[in-house]
Amino acid sequence: MASRVVIVSSSLLKSGQIDMKSKDFVKDGREIPAVKKKGFAPTGYCDSKLMNMLTCRQLALHLRDTNVTTYSVSPGFCRSELGRNVEMPIFKKMLM
């Protein structure tokens, strides 16, 4: 019998970075260089979504000789309260 593991990620993983020196970089966030434009998504969120995708890939390697497949999916934009504390222009909030 085949099985699948589905891990929810986000297209914002492209902005993620992993800092192996930080103990809790999801909570603490990370510094954004002054030359880089600051995005609207918190760095901890982007980093955690990158880790979700990497976890999925690693799990796929461990399960490759089984009937278990893994998927990392991005559900796209959806209406939620996740952005309630994020500073962004009102027109962008209206689109969410």
Side-chain angles (χ1 to χ4, degrees), residues 16-21 25 30 47-48 50-51 54:
Q17 295 178 7
I18 297 179
D19 178 3
M20 299 304 281
K21 295 178 184 172
F25 56 90
R30 65 178 147 78
D47 296 348
S48 70
L50 173 60
M51 287 184 278
L54 293 173

